[in-house]
C-alpha cells in the first residue's frame, strides 16, 4: 500500500501519541486504535484545497507569525445578520486591513440558554438564524481566496443540556451518563465545592446543578452547560472528531474555549491539571497529523505563570497561540491609575519569554475585564489592598470616581467578595461616549486620543493584534440588553451590541469621530505592517521614560530601532527618549534632529524611529 501524507505524519508522532493516550486511558490499546482510525477517517474527508493549503503551510511553518497579521473578532448576527451577510461584508473586513477573522460562536445552541453560543447542542450544525454548514464553508472558501484566516470557537469543556448526549444521559441511556459528571447525592459535589472556585459567583453560583429528577450534574459555568468528562475516552474521541470536522469545513484557527477546565479531580481547583496538558498535546498532534495548516488558540484566562505552560515545549508544543490577558487587564489598570510601574513590570515578564511564544494582543473582547493583577507586588510597592483597589478600578471605569468619564458596568458583582469584573467598549471606557453626550469638543478630543493611544499600544506589542469589532469606529456601549429578559442578567452584552453601520459610513470622513479613529487606526496598522521593528523576532525591552505616567518600549530589529512612548495620564508630559539622537515620529512624520526628550499630549503617544 502506498504511504500517504497521513501515514508519514502519523509515523513521526505515533510513539508519543500512544504513550500519552495509554497513560491517560489505562493502556486501552483497542480504544487507541479506534482513535487513530478516527484520525485517518477525518484526514480522508479533508478536501483538496485544504490539503493543498496544509502543504503550503507546512513548507512555511512561520506563516502565521508575520507582522502583517491583523485580527478582528465579531458576532455574525450583530455584524451582518448571518453568514451570507458576513460574506457580503468581506470588503469592509479587508478595508480594515484584517486578515484573521474570529467569528464568535455560531453553532447550534438553545435560545435563552446559550451563554452567547457557548452552550453547544450540535457541533455539526450552524445556528439556523445564521445559516447552514454550507454557508460556513462558503464563507471559509471566500476567506481563503482573500487570504483571511478564519477562527472559530471550539467549546470543549461542556455541552448544552440539549445536546444529544445530555438528553440520552438524562434519559438513562447506558454509556451517556459517563460522558458527564453525574451524582445521586450531594456528597461528592459538596466535596468538590470545597476546593473549586466559582466562575460566575452571582449569575451562576456553585459548580453543580440539580435536575428536576433529583440527579446532580457538574456545571462549572451556567447550569445549562454540562461539563464533559474527558476521563472517558469516548468523550475525547468524539470531541476530537468534532474539532477535526470543523477544521475540515475550512476553519484555520480553533479557539480552545475554557481549556484549563477540561480535567476534573476531587480535592483540586479543577483548573490547569497536568492531564489538561496531555489532552492539549494530543489535540495538537491530531491536528498536525490530519490538518497541519490548522492552528490551536488556547483560551487561558489565568495569571501569567499558568498561561505560558500552554505553549508546551519546543519538542512538545501545545497551543500555537494564547491570549495576552494579563497585559490587557494591566493596561486598563494603568489607564485608571496613570502610573505605568505595574505595566512595566508585566512587560518585562513578557519580554523575558521565548520570542516564539505567540500572543494575541487585545484591548477588549466579548468577555468582561477581570482584574487579574499582580497584587502581592502592588502591595509591596504601594501598600495597595486588593479589594480596595478593585473597587477603585470599578469606580473609575463606571464613572463614579471624580474626574472619570468612563462608562462601564460591573459584571458579577458579589458584594461579599468585592471582586466585581467590568464590561464596556473601548470607546466608552476611554470616555468618548460621555464626551460626545456632553457635547464637549475638548473632552472628546482627549478621549479619542486615549482610544487611539491604547490601540497604538496594542499594536506596539509582539504578536497578533486583535480588534474587537466596532472599536475601529469607536462603538459605544449598547444598553439595549437591559430590556432583553434573556440577556439582562449578563452585562457582557453591554459590549456585544449590533454593529452600527451608520457609524462605519463615516469612516472616510476625517471630520467625524469615526473617521478620525478609523483612519488613525489604519495608519498605525500600515506603519506596523511596513516596519521591520514590529517583527516577532525583534528585540524588545522596556526603558525608563523618566516619568511614572509614561511607558517607554523599545523595539530593535537589525540596525533599526523604534522607541515607543505612551502617556497614560490626562496631562501634558515630557518624557525621555532613551539615548537621545535624531528621530522621526512615524505617525505624524515629524523629524527631530537631536532630542533627549519629547512632549506628549494628554493620553498621547509617539512612535520614534531612530536615524
Ligand atoms: C469562555 C468564553 C465565555 C464563556 C465561557 C463558558 O470563557 O469566553 O464567554 O462564558 O467560556 O463557555
Amino acid at each position: 500500500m502506498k504511504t500517504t501524507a497521513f501515514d508519514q505524519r502519523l509515523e513521526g508522532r505515533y510513539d508519543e501519541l500512544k504513550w500519552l493516550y495509554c497513560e491517560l486511558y489505562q493502556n486501552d490499546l483497542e480504544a487507541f486504535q479506534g482513535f487513530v482510525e478516527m484520525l485517518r477517517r477525518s484526514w480522508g474527508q479533508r478536501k483538496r484545497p485544504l490539503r493543498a493549503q496544509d502543504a503550503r503551510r507546512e513548507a512555511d511553518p512561520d506563516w502565521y507569525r508575520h507582522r502583517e497579521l491583523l485580527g478582528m473578532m465579531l458576532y455574525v448576527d450583530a455584524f451582518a445578520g448571518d453568514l451570507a451577510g458576513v460574506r457580503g461584508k468581506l470588503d469592509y473586513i479587508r478595508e480594515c486591513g484584517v486578515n484573521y477573522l474570529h467569528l464568535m460562536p455560531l453553532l447550534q445552541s438553545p435560545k435563552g440558554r446559550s451563554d452567547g453560543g457557548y452552550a453547544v447542542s450540535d457541533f455539526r450544525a450552524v445556528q439556523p438564524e445564521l445559516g447552514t454548514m454550507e454557508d460556513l464553508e462558503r464563507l471559509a472558501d471566500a476567506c481563503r481566496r482573500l487570504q483571511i484566516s478564519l477562527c472559530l470557537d471550539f467549546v470543549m469543556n461542556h455541552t448544552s443540556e440539549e445536546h444529544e448526549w445530555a438528553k440520552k444521559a438524562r434519559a438513562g441511556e447506558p454509556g451517556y451518563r459517563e460522558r458527564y459528571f453525574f451524582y445521586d447525592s450531594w456528597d461528592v459535589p459538596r466535596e468538590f465545592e470545597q476546593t473549586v472556585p466559582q466562575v460566575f459567583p452571582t449569575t451562576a453560583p456553585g459548580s453543580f446543578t440539580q435536575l428536576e429528577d433529583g440527579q446532580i450534574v457538574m456545571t462549572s459555568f451556567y447550569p445549562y452547560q454540562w461539563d464533559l468528562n474527558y476521563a472517558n475516552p469516548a468523550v475525547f474521541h468524539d470531541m476530537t472528531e468534532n474539532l477535526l470536522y470543523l477544521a475540515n469545513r475550512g476553519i484555520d484557527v480553533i479557539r480552545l474555549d475554557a481549556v484549563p477546565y477540561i480535567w476534573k479531580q476531587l480535592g483540586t481547583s479543577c483548573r490547569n491539571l497536568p492531564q489538561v496538558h496531555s489532552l492539549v498535546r494530543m489535540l495538537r498532534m491530531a491536528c498536525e497529523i490530519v490538518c497541519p495548516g490548522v492552528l490551536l488558540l488556547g483560551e487561558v484566562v489565568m495569571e501569567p505563570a499558568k498561561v505560558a505552560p500552554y505553549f508546551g515545549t519546543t519538542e512538545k508544543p501545545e497551543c500555537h497561540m494564547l491570549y495576552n490577558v494579563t497585559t490587557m487587564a494591566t493596561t486598563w489598570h494603568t489607564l485608571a491609575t496613570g502610573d505605568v510601574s505595574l505595566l512595566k513590570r508585566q512587560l518585562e515578564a513578557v519580554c523575558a519569554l521565548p520570542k516564539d511564544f505567540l500572543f494575541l494582543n487585545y484591548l477588549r473582547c466579548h468577555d468582561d475585564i477581570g482584574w487579574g493583577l499582580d497584587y502581592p507586588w502592588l502591595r509591596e510597592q504601594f501598600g495597595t489592598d486588593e479589594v480596595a483597589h478593585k473597587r477603585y478600578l470599578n469606580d473609575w471605569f463606571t464613572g463614579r470616581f471624580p474626574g472619570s468619564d468612563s462608562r462601564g458596568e460591573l459584571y458579577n458583582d458579589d458584594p461579599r467578595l468585592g471582586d466585581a469584573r467590568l464590561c464596556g467598549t473601548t470607546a466608552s471606557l476611554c470616555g468618548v461616549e460621555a464626551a460626545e453626550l456632553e457635547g464637549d469638543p475638548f473632552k472628546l478630543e482627549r478621549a479619542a486620543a486615549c482610544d487611539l493611544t491604547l490601540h497604538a499600544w496594542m499594536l506596539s506589542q509582539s504578536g497578533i493584534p486583535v480588534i474587537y469589532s466596532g472599536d475601529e469606529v469607536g462603538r459605544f456601549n449598547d444598553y439595549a440588553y437591559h430590556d432583553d429578559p434573556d440577556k439582562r442578567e449578563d452585562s457582557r452584552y453591554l459590549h456585544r451590541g449590533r454593529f452600527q453601520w451608520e457609524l462605519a459610513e463615516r469612516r472616510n470622513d476625517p471630520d467625524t469621530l469615526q473617521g478620525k479613529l478609523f483612519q488613525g487606526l489604519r495608519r498605525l496598522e500600515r506603519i506596523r505592517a511596513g516596519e521591520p521593528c514590529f517583527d516577532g523576532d525583534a528585540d524588545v525591552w522596556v526603558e525608563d521614560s523618566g516619568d511614572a505616567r509614561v511607558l517607554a518600549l523599545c523595539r530593535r530589529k537589525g540596525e533599526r530601532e523604534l522607541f515607543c512612548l505612551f502617556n497614560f495620564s490626562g496631562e501634558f508630559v515630557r518624557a525621555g527618549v532613551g539615548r537621545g539622537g535624531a528621530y522621526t515620529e512615524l505617525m505624524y512624520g515629524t523629524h527631530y534632529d537631536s532630542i533627549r526628550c519629547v512632549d506628549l499630549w494628554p493620553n498621547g503617544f509617539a512612535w520614534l524611529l531612530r536615524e
Side-chain angles (χ1 to χ4, degrees):
M1 222 165 64
K2 190 165 137 266
T3 42
T4 61
F6 175 88
D7 295 313
Q8 281 169 13
R9 297 195 294 242
L10 175 65
E11 199 194 313
R13 292 161 182 90
Y14 189 85
D15 291 340
E16 192 197 340
L17 190 60
K18 183 171 163 191
W19 197 86
L20 279 177
Y21 189 99
C22 286
E23 189 190 38
L24 209 56
Y25 297 120
Q26 295 85 39
N27 275 316
D28 190 340
L29 284 174
E30 210 183 303
F32 177 67
Q33 277 321 314
F35 186 73
V36 172
E37 280 323 304
M38 177 274 290
L39 296 184
R40 188 182 297 280
R41 198 162 58 239
S42 300
W43 175 75
Q45 290 157 359
R46 194 154 174 82
K47 61 185 178 188
R48 202 176 276 204
L50 294 178
R51 286 191 190 181
Q53 177 165 272
D54 289 338
R56 282 197 300 278
R57 290 179 174 174
E58 269 191 303
D60 174 23
D62 285 339
W63 68 271
Y64 58 96
R65 293 176 179 278
H66 301 180
R67 62 174 189 266
E68 292 86 0
L69 246 73
L70 177 68
M72 181 177 272
M73 53 189 295
L74 56 82
Y75 281 94
V76 168
D77 53 346
F79 180 69
D82 57 17
L83 286 166
V86 175
R87 195 150 48 89
K89 298 279 188 204
L90 286 179
D91 281 350
Y92 176 77
I93 301 289
R94 291 252 295 180
E95 198 188 319
C96 292
V98 166
N99 42 31
Y100 158 81
L101 186 61
H102 175 186
L103 302 178
M104 297 308 292
L106 48 80
L107 299 180
Q108 210 155 73
S109 179
K111 241 197 160 54
R113 292 175 80 75
S114 92
D115 184 20
Y118 284 101
V120 178
S121 52
D122 187 344
F123 290 94
R124 301 193 179 207
V126 168
Q127 189 68 28
E129 295 87 40
L130 304 179
T132 61
M133 225 7 121
E134 289 68 49
D135 291 326
L136 180 61
E137 267 190 76
R138 228 168 279 144
L139 175 60
D141 290 345
C143 285
R144 198 164 50 253
R145 280 193 291 274
L146 297 171
Q147 298 192 341
I148 298 173
S149 298
L150 213 50
C151 169
L152 207 64
D153 279 88
F154 185 56
V155 188
M156 63 180 307
N157 176 67
H158 41 258
T159 72
S160 152
E161 60 182 352
E162 294 294 316
H163 190 279
E164 180 200 335
W165 303 340
K167 286 194 204 154
K168 288 182 176 167
R170 202 194 292 259
E173 203 170 303
Y176 287 92
R177 260 174 76 105
E178 295 75 14
R179 293 191 172 218
Y180 299 94
F181 296 89
F182 266 91
Y183 303 95
D184 294 320
S185 83
W186 279 98
D187 296 344
V188 177
R190 243 181 241 124
E191 240 183 281
F192 267 111
E193 301 274 26
Q194 300 288 322
T195 54
V196 180
Q198 306 190 34
V199 184
F200 299 138
T202 58
T203 48
S207 301
F208 292 85
T209 298
Q210 186 148 31
L211 308 177
E212 314 83 70
D213 63 1
Q215 301 189 84
I216 296 152
V217 67
M218 185 186 278
T219 55
S220 300
F221 291 82
Y222 280 108
Y224 49 79
Q225 290 166 319
W226 293 11
D227 288 69
L228 284 168
N229 184 358
Y230 281 87
N232 178 350
V235 167
F236 181 56
H237 283 209
D238 290 350
M239 289 303 283
T240 307
E241 196 168 5
N242 283 333
L243 185 158
L244 297 171
Y245 173 85
L246 293 173
N248 280 348
R249 307 278 75 71
I251 303 303
D252 300 278
V253 181
I254 304 278
R255 176 184 181 272
L256 300 177
D257 179 59
V259 66
Y261 299 79
I262 61 177
W263 193 273
K264 316 295 196 290
Q265 199 168 300
L266 211 55
T268 71
S269 66
C270 295
R271 314 269 206 272
N272 309 301
L273 297 178
Q275 292 87 343
V276 173
H277 291 281
S278 303
L279 288 166
V280 177
R281 175 71 191 132
M282 288 197 281
L283 288 177
R284 169 79 180 239
M285 284 190 277
C287 289
E288 284 175 355
I289 294 166
V290 175
C291 47
V294 170
L295 308 176
L296 296 180
L297 160 64
E299 191 224 359
V300 184
V301 181
M302 301 271 160
E303 70 253 40
K306 302 278 167 49
V307 175
Y310 285 87
F311 283 117
T313 61
T314 317
E315 299 76 42
K316 298 180 177 181
E318 295 178 24
C319 294
H320 297 82
M321 331 191 269
L322 295 168
Y323 291 96
N324 198 347
V325 54
T326 304
T327 301
M328 181 279 293
T330 307
T331 296
W332 290 105
H333 150 96
T334 308
L335 188 64
T337 56
D339 184 308
V340 302
S341 339
L342 183 65
L343 190 54
K344 200 162 163 252
R345 180 179 154 81
Q346 162 64 12
L347 273 167
E348 278 159 358
V350 173
C351 292
L353 294 171
K355 283 181 189 171
D356 59 344
F357 281 12
L358 184 64
F359 284 106
L360 257 65
N361 297 305
Y362 62 114
L363 296 171
R364 294 296 298 114
C365 71
H366 68 296
D367 278 331
D368 49 292
I369 304 170
W371 298 118
L373 307 174
D374 188 345
Y375 293 103
W377 189 81
L378 280 174
R379 172 178 286 277
E380 192 189 296
Q381 293 293 311
F382 304 101
T384 307
D385 168 70
E386 178 172 340
V387 173
H389 188 59
K390 283 179 178 167
R391 192 176 317 120
Y392 168 74
L393 293 172
N394 285 329
D395 281 350
W396 178 271
F397 285 114
T398 51
R400 278 185 291 207
F401 198 85
S404 159
D405 288 315
S406 207
R407 291 290 177 267
E409 285 184 5
L410 298 186
Y411 179 67
N412 269 272
D413 179 19
D414 184 342
R416 287 166 307 166
L417 302 172
D419 65 350
R421 286 119 76 170
L422 191 98
C423 296
T425 68
T426 304
S428 293
L429 295 180
C430 287
V432 184
E433 179 183 334
E436 178 140 301
L437 244 85
E438 279 175 43
D440 182 332
F442 299 100
K443 260 192 182 180
L444 188 61
E445 191 168 325
R446 193 181 102 183
C450 178
D451 189 317
L452 202 61
T453 293
L454 289 186
H455 280 95
W457 158 233
M458 168 176 84
L459 291 164
S460 303
Q461 299 167 51
S462 293
I464 305 181
V466 182
I467 299 166
Y468 188 54
S469 169
D471 279 359
E472 74 279 17
V473 286
R475 175 164 63 145
F476 297 165
N477 292 337
D478 187 333
Y479 300 95
Y481 86 96
H482 288 261
D483 303 319
D484 184 335
D486 287 341
K487 299 180 175 164
R488 194 180 293 155
E489 299 299 325
D490 193 336
S491 54
R492 290 177 299 178
Y493 286 99
L494 183 65
H495 50 253
R496 294 179 180 175
R498 195 178 60 80
F499 186 84
Q500 291 160 302
W501 285 100
E502 58 286 7
L503 294 186
E505 301 271 283
R506 303 184 200 146
R507 66 187 178 277
N508 293 319
D509 178 353
D511 291 335
T512 63
L513 170 69
Q514 293 75 25
K516 285 194 181 91
L517 289 175
F518 189 88
Q519 298 304 332
L521 191 54
R522 282 305 293 132
R523 188 169 167 80
L524 290 168
E525 291 157 359
R526 285 205 187 91
I527 294 171
R528 184 182 207 266
E531 174 50 58
C533 285
F534 288 109
D535 276 346
D537 62 359
D539 292 325
V540 188
W541 68 96
V542 235
E543 288 210 5
D544 189 359
S545 70
D547 191 307
R549 295 166 292 183
V550 179
L551 184 79
L553 184 80
C554 226
R555 305 191 60 97
R556 186 194 295 143
K557 172 91 183 211
E559 298 286 287
R560 300 176 79 86
E561 195 174 299
L562 186 72
F563 204 78
C564 312
L565 289 167
F566 307 93
N567 177 5
F568 275 89
S569 81
E571 295 131 32
F572 286 93
V573 292
R574 174 161 293 184
V577 186
R579 302 181 272 142
Y583 288 90
T584 300
E585 204 289 322
L586 299 178
M587 185 71 176
Y588 296 95
T590 316
H591 176 77
Y592 299 96
D593 261 339
S594 165
I595 42 164
R596 301 208 65 85
C597 54
V598 63
D599 293 319
L600 295 171
W601 278 71
N603 290 121
F605 76 96
W607 271 356
L608 297 158
L609 187 68
R610 202 182 155 83
E611 284 166 12

